[in-house]
């Protein structure tokens, strides 16, 4: 094989990347379509407080970067590559959201440019998570890239994967009215039971599947250790993510603390499941 | 650093393809544009309350009566949800006839379409349209 001076103009390298992009678009669509078809998402793009939306987009940036590092659709190592991947994922997310919303007739007459951009931005965040995760999901061929490195991720890296898993599942239901409705209809006892059930499920998944990103070493998995090291932190992450989503979507304003706690517990159920199964999903 | 030395010897194999640069650049432009649009609205945006007016568009004779196509226009700075719109048709010598519709969501500086049904021909009388109320989304 002739040594190319750089991959810049190399046709196979560019073609490979095109395949990754297509795969990313598939992942974006797969992850974001429930949201793209949710009424609240179309409205959030415009009803969300602009500062909140900015914070929301801003907080997605480090997450996309981290995700690109752990599960990017290119087995990369350099910071520049991670940034490029995260940006490309956002581009894919925007384009997929634009095309899907146009197809679904949710972008059209009577809308201001700001409204359209807001809509796209809200949808592009979950879509770009899907785009990045797709690299792993649809069998990226990183023989010595992402796959091997993921077994060497530290405790923080594992917590990060749990966080992404929590966002992954929580996000797909967080904007819906049902989360609020369920919390209103629940008694405090329901909420306590749900929290207990979530913890049990988390423990079950983590114990059964192993910690996200952990290599198969069954020896050092004692019950108490999993509870302390993964189940409790996992639920903590799920609660924080839930609270953050509720805040971002403006559900906390003028709501009493008790109701906020119940909404958080409700949303922490899918978030906890996501955190527990991050190993499968990401 | 975990990379094998071969990677250094042949940087081309692990260099960045042109397409990756293009995709990254497109992403960067989209991020900046999004942030600029939303940021502009955050800083300079109008935060005045919703102000919804209702205008008549077209009037059609339909089965069972008349249809007045309307447009709800929110010229305020905040979005309004569940906008209730009422139309009152007064024909000479007859009691007024009302019709109402509700718009799920009328964002600020935006317009949404709907319609009101009447049994009498609205062109023969005086039609007054107004928004009755809304909730904050």
């Amino acid at each position: 094989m002739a040594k190319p001076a750089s991959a810049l103009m190399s046709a196979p390298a560019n073609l490979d990347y095109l395949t990754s992009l297509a795969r990313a678009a598939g992942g974006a669509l797969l992850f974001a379509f429930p949201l793209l078809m949710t009424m609240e998402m179309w409205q959030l793009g415009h009803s969300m407080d602009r500062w909140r939306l900015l914070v929301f987009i801003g907080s997605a940036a480090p997450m996309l970067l981290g995700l690109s590092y752990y599960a990017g659709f290119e087995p990369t190592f350099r910071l520049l590559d991670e940034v490029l991947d995260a940006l490309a994922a956002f581009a894919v997310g925007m384009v997929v959201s634009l095309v899907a919303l146009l197809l679904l007739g949710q972008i059209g007459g009577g809308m201001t440019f700001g409204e359209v951009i807001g809509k796209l931005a809200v949808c592009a965040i979950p879509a770009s998570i899907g785009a990045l995760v797709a690299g792993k999901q649809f069998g990226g061929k990183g023989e010595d890239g992402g796959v091997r490195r993921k077994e060497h991720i530290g405790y923080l890296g594992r917590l990060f994967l749990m966080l992404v898993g929590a966002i992954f599942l929580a996000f797909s239901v967080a904007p819906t009215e049902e989360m609020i409705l369920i919390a209103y209809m629940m008694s405090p006892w329901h909420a306590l039971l749900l929290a207990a059930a979530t913890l049990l499920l988390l423990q079950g998944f983590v114990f059964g599947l192993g910690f996200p990103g952990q290599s198969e070493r069954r020896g050092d998995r004692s019950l108490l250790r999993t509870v302390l090291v993964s189940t409790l932190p996992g639920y903590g992450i799920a609660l924080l993510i839930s609270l953050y989503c509720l805040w971002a979507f403006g559900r906390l304003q003028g709501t009493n603390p008790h109701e906020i706690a119940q909404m958080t517990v409700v949303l922490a159920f899918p978030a906890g499941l996501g955190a527990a199964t991050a190993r499968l999903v990401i | 650093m975990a990379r094998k030395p071969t990677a250094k010897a042949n940087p081309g194999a692990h260099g960045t393809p042109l397409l990756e640069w293009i995709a990254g650049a497109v992403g960067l432009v989209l991020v900046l544009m999004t942030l600029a649009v939303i940021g502009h609205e955050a800083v300079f945006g109008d935060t005045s309350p919703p102000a919804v007016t209702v205008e008549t568009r077209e009037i059609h004779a339909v089965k069972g009566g008349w249809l007045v196509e309307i447009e709800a226009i929110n010229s305020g700075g905040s979005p309004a949800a569940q906008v209730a719109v009422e139309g009152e048709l007064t024909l000479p010598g007859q009691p007024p006839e009302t019709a109402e519709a509700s718009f799920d969501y009328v964002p600020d500086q935006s317009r949404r379409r709907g319609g009101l049904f009447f049994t009498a021909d609205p062109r023969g009388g005086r039609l007054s349209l107004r928004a009755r109320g809304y909730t904050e989304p």
Side-chain angles (χ1 to χ4, degrees):
Chain A
M1 184 179 98
K3 266 192 208 167
S6 115
L8 191 65
M9 289 300 172
S10 141
N14 279 306
L15 213 63
D16 268 3
Y17 189 70
L18 197 64
T19 317
S20 313
L21 277 184
R23 198 187 291 144
L29 197 60
L30 202 59
F31 180 48
F33 90 86
L35 288 165
L36 290 166
M37 300 178 100
T38 299
M39 186 171 70
E40 285 84 352
M41 285 301 275
W42 315 328
Q43 299 183 352
L44 275 172
H46 206 255
S47 66
M48 218 165 148
D49 178 75
R50 297 290 101 171
W51 285 110
R52 245 172 247 223
L53 185 53
L54 277 183
V55 170
F56 197 58
I57 297 171
S59 65
M63 197 184 64
L64 288 180
L65 274 179
L67 200 55
S68 148
Y69 181 73
Y70 287 115
F73 54 89
E74 287 278 284
T76 53
F77 286 90
R78 295 174 301 159
L79 178 67
L80 177 69
D81 277 345
E82 313 302 354
V83 173
L84 277 180
D85 271 6
L87 284 174
F90 187 76
V92 168
M94 284 291 267
V95 171
V96 165
S97 305
L98 176 69
V99 173
L101 288 179
L102 276 174
L103 271 177
L104 298 174
Q106 291 310 321
I107 293 178
M111 292 180 192
T112 58
F113 186 60
E115 183 186 354
V116 173
I117 291 290
K119 244 180 216 195
L120 288 180
V122 173
C123 294
I125 293 170
S128 40
I129 297 178
L132 280 173
V133 172
K136 167 72 167 45
Q137 284 292 78
F138 296 162
K141 50 178 171 65
E143 306 99 29
D144 64 27
V147 176
R148 197 180 61 179
R149 190 179 48 191
K150 264 174 97 174
E151 292 178 2
H152 294 300
I153 64 171
Y155 184 61
L156 264 184
R158 292 171 188 178
L159 288 184
F160 174 77
L161 282 189
M162 280 189 136
L163 182 122
V164 177
I167 293 174
F168 203 84
L169 284 203
F171 209 108
S172 58
V173 286
T176 64
E177 201 68 44
E178 280 81 349
M179 293 304 111
I180 314 306
L181 199 62
I182 291 171
Y184 284 154
M185 293 169 76
M186 266 181 151
S187 74
W189 295 110
H190 279 105
L192 285 176
L193 269 176
L194 185 65
T198 311
L199 270 169
L200 267 178
L201 276 170
L202 242 167
Q203 169 66 16
F205 272 116
V206 170
F207 197 69
L209 295 170
F211 204 33
Q214 189 185 45
S215 53
E216 282 304 314
R217 281 182 304 150
R218 297 190 167 264
D220 59 355
R221 267 203 260 145
S222 78
L223 187 65
L224 185 68
R225 209 178 120 78
T226 14
V227 171
L228 285 179
V229 171
S230 30
T231 305
L232 288 178
Y235 195 57
I237 287 169
L239 286 172
L240 283 178
I241 288 299
S242 305
L243 195 62
Y244 175 69
C245 283
L246 290 168
W247 171 81
F249 296 149
R251 305 291 201 189
L252 302 185
Q253 273 168 326
T255 311
N256 68 54
H258 162 242
E259 210 60 56
I260 290 176
Q262 291 210 165
M263 289 194 290
T264 311
V265 167
V266 170
L267 196 53
F269 175 62
L273 282 180
T277 53
R279 190 191 168 85
L280 298 180
V281 179
I282 296 152
Chain B
M1 342 130 221
R3 275 245 148 270
K4 283 141 278 171
T6 49
K8 268 232 145 50
N10 182 11
H14 293 279
T16 308
L18 179 65
L19 204 56
E20 202 171 331
W21 285 106
I22 294 173
V26 171
L28 185 64
V29 169
L30 287 174
V31 169
L32 292 180
M33 188 186 73
T34 306
L35 292 181
V37 171
I38 298 170
H40 180 86
E41 249 182 282
V43 179
F44 305 106
D46 183 2
T47 51
S48 61
V52 182
T53 51
V54 188
E55 288 178 8
T56 314
R57 285 292 164 255
E58 276 168 49
I59 298 172
H60 304 277
V62 292
K63 206 176 171 187
W66 295 84
L67 163 67
V68 179
E69 286 187 336
I70 55 169
E71 202 165 50
I73 302 156
N74 183 355
S75 50
S78 310
Q82 293 172 44
V83 181
V85 169
E86 187 189 66
E88 194 180 58
L89 175 63
T90 333
L91 290 164
Q94 282 176 37
E97 183 185 353
T98 60
E100 49 185 58
S102 89
F103 291 83
D104 277 348
Y105 190 65
V106 187
D108 45 280
Q109 303 296 327
S110 300
R111 36 186 76 212
R112 292 291 185 265
R113 282 172 163 268
L116 296 173
F117 293 109
F118 293 98
T119 52
D121 186 351
R123 287 171 300 190
R126 201 175 58 83
L127 179 63
S128 68
L129 297 169
R130 68 182 188 103
R132 273 203 316 217
Y134 73 96
T135 61
E136 244 178 54

